[in-house]
Amino acid sequence: MQPTALISKLLQDVRASYWFIPGLLVLAAVALAELMQHLDRGALAQMLPVSLRDTQAEGARAMLSVIAQSVIGVAGVMFSMTVVAVSFASSNFGPRLIGNFMRDRANQVSLGIMIATFVYTMLILRAVQDPSAEGADLTVDLFVPHLAILVAIGLALISVVTMIFFVHHIPEAINLANITSGLGERLVAALHASGEPFEDVYEIMPEGLPVQYLTAGGSGYMRTLNAARLSRLSLDQGWWIEVLEVPGAFLDDDRNVLRIHGNPALNDDLIRELRGCFALGRERSEDQNMMFMIDQLCEVIARALSPGINDPFTAMNCMNWMHVALLLALKEPPGHRGSAYERVLVPVMTFTQLLQAGHSISRPYVATDLNATTHVLKLLCVLANRAPEGPRRAAVLEERDELLEMALALQPDAGSQRIIRRAAAE
């Protein structure tokens, strides 16, 4: 059985790299250069108008040299801008947000277009032959690839458009409002894509069967989990499997990841196949891990409300997006969860966990600022009013009361306390 979870992790790493898409575009540029040279040596080049076939070898070389030098120079500037943007995001918004810039397809494609244009132009420049030039081999025939030169000019124009787009895109990418809204939208999309209800009660596995445990066999963050492959394994072997850790958890060598009910006993081959259903990495990612997106929003809140920055409106924007996700989770009815994978029980994010994850981390920072406190209290009141009587509404009211108590302790002046109590009563 192939380690499909490891393959999925490698695909995630490739998507977050700055070499994969530019590498593909460079290979495409090499193939295009060979194709255009082949077409230029055929009869197709003779069909061009005379005005497009009157370029001399020396002029062709000069034009291609200018394009190559200009494009690689601009590519260097673009790479410098990207490094500056990543450094700025890391120092101001938190290191966890670097992945958002690394996965930015616009940056990857822009750099790839510039580098591919340089490679294509260099290959076409090498193909230009002029037997009359000083020191040239007289046995070489004159060859000026007119079609290829037209393509090079077209790529140069595309590079100019790419440069303009990139210069516009970088400020947009480091705009904090865009960053927080992007995180919120991805969190909401992850909730929609999960396809699982956010219950507070879990299905119980069958009793009376022998129980075995599988450890991680390594250290690091769980990056991916292939629950569908676990389901097929459990059906083949007659197991019932409980997943004890989900993507985003940090594991050590002896941490139990799976609880397996039933026979047969584990052997080396079965252990290898089971461990191939999950993959470890050095850091967390957003794939299969909604908690990481919540942590990123909380990190922005913490930095925005720090004394050195003091930007409560950014923190309020983050909480707005977090409550969009909470309202979406609130629409799902509670109850027993039917496993999405036969014979495999995978923990899902419950409404209460989502609520506590967003508020317990950010509460110490929110409670220090009057504007942020009143805004979050109002959001919790709206959430409580929409929640039906039951454990979910009780959890929301508990979060409101804990924030109220902490804010009153941290903001002792009478005016602030009146405003805070008024917001909590709405």
Side-chain angles (χ1 to χ4, degrees):
M1 182 176 293
Q2 296 296 322
T4 53
L6 178 60
I7 295 173
S8 177
K9 172 189 172 293
L10 292 176
L11 291 176
Q12 294 172 19
D13 292 339
V14 164
R15 185 183 182 278
S17 70
Y18 269 171
W19 58 264
F20 181 68
I21 290 181
L24 289 180
L25 292 176
V26 166
L27 293 177
V30 172
L32 180 61
E34 292 297 324
L35 174 63
M36 297 312 300
Q37 291 178 58
H38 175 73
L39 295 177
D40 268 304
R41 295 184 187 279
L44 183 61
Q46 302 303 319
M47 300 174 60
L48 290 174
V50 176
S51 59
L52 298 179
R53 289 190 287 112
D54 60 357
T55 305
Q56 302 302 312
E58 183 178 353
R61 285 176 174 167
M63 180 185 300
L64 293 171
S65 297
V66 169
I67 293 175
Q69 293 173 10
S70 303
V71 166
I72 198 62
V74 172
V77 173
M78 290 170 60
F79 180 77
S80 300
M81 292 175 62
T82 302
V83 172
V84 169
V86 171
S87 176
F88 177 82
S90 175
S91 60
N92 288 275
F93 310 143
R96 289 183 180 87
L97 272 70
I98 292 180
N100 298 316
F101 296 90
M102 297 297 292
R103 288 190 297 270
D104 192 334
R105 286 288 178 83
N107 293 345
Q108 297 172 8
V109 173
S110 297
L111 290 172
I113 288 174
M114 306 301 287
I115 296 172
T117 301
F118 170 76
V119 170
Y120 173 86
T121 307
M122 291 297 294
L123 292 175
I124 299 304
L125 180 61
R126 177 183 175 276
V128 177
Q129 302 291 338
D130 185 7
S132 63
E134 183 179 353
D137 188 351
L138 297 179
T139 61
V140 175
D141 295 331
L142 175 66
F143 178 63
V144 179
H146 299 289
L147 278 174
I149 291 173
L150 288 176
V151 173
I153 295 173
L155 290 176
L157 295 176
I158 293 174
S159 298
V160 170
V161 175
T162 301
M163 179 189 67
I164 296 172
F165 164 77
F166 187 82
V167 171
H168 168 78
H169 176 72
I170 285 295
E172 290 288 320
I174 61 176
N175 185 311
L176 194 51
N178 292 335
I179 293 173
T180 55
S181 62
L183 281 171
E185 289 169 356
R186 291 198 298 278
L187 176 60
V188 171
L191 292 175
H192 279 297
S194 66
E196 296 176 340
F198 297 85
E199 300 87 355
D200 304 317
V201 183
Y202 293 95
E203 186 179 31
I204 301 175
M205 301 297 284
E207 299 179 354
L209 298 176
V211 177
Q212 307 172 78
Y213 290 88
L214 179 72
T215 60
S219 300
Y221 290 98
M222 182 185 287
R223 289 282 299 274
T224 56
L225 174 68
N226 191 338
R229 181 60 62 89
L230 277 178
S231 179
R232 288 194 291 271
L233 266 175
S234 64
L235 289 171
D236 293 341
Q237 303 296 329
W239 288 329
W240 294 78
I241 298 177
E242 288 182 82
V243 178
L244 304 179
E245 302 292 347
V246 294
F250 185 82
L251 309 176
D252 55 50
D253 294 349
D254 300 323
R255 186 77 167 266
N256 290 325
V257 179
L258 302 178
R259 182 187 293 124
I260 303 168
H261 301 257
N263 290 312
L266 294 176
N267 55 40
D268 291 342
D269 292 336
L270 291 175
I271 290 174
R272 190 180 306 110
E273 291 189 8
L274 287 170
R275 284 179 176 164
C277 295
F278 59 89
L280 305 181
R282 295 181 178 178
E283 59 185 12
R284 292 190 294 170
S285 71
E286 296 180 5
D287 299 278
Q288 301 184 359
N289 186 8
M290 286 184 287
M291 190 69 73
F292 184 59
M293 287 178 271
I294 296 174
D295 288 346
Q296 290 181 86
L297 286 170
C298 291
E299 182 169 2
V300 175
I301 292 172
R303 288 177 178 266
L305 295 177
S306 63
I309 297 177
N310 192 23
D311 180 13
F313 298 101
T314 294
M316 291 156 63
N317 189 37
C318 291
M319 294 306 301
N320 286 338
W321 281 106
M322 201 175 297
H323 274 256
V324 170
L326 286 170
L327 289 170
L328 177 63
L330 189 63
K331 295 178 181 178
E332 296 292 343
H336 287 277
R337 178 178 63 84
S339 178
Y341 305 98
E342 191 172 356
R343 290 176 173 263
V344 174
L345 181 61
V346 181
V348 295
M349 177 78 75
T350 67
F351 172 82
T352 304
Q353 290 173 335
L354 189 66
L355 175 70
Q356 293 174 346
H359 285 272
S360 62
I361 298 175
S362 62
R363 189 186 305 122
Y365 309 100
V366 171
T368 61
D369 185 89
L370 177 61
N371 294 318
T373 298
T374 55
H375 184 74
V376 174
L377 286 173
K378 291 176 181 178
L379 289 176
L380 287 170
C381 289
V382 170
L383 195 62
N385 292 334
R386 296 189 184 182
E389 290 292 338
R392 292 184 173 186
R393 190 170 191 273
V396 175
L397 294 176
E398 182 180 357
E399 289 293 334
R400 184 201 62 182
D401 294 341
E402 289 182 359
L403 176 59
L404 175 62
E405 180 182 356
M406 184 177 291
L408 292 176
L410 293 175
Q411 301 182 43
D413 61 287
S416 297
Q417 291 194 353
R418 282 196 301 271
I419 295 173
I420 292 171
R421 287 194 175 94
R422 191 182 306 122
E426 291 185 1

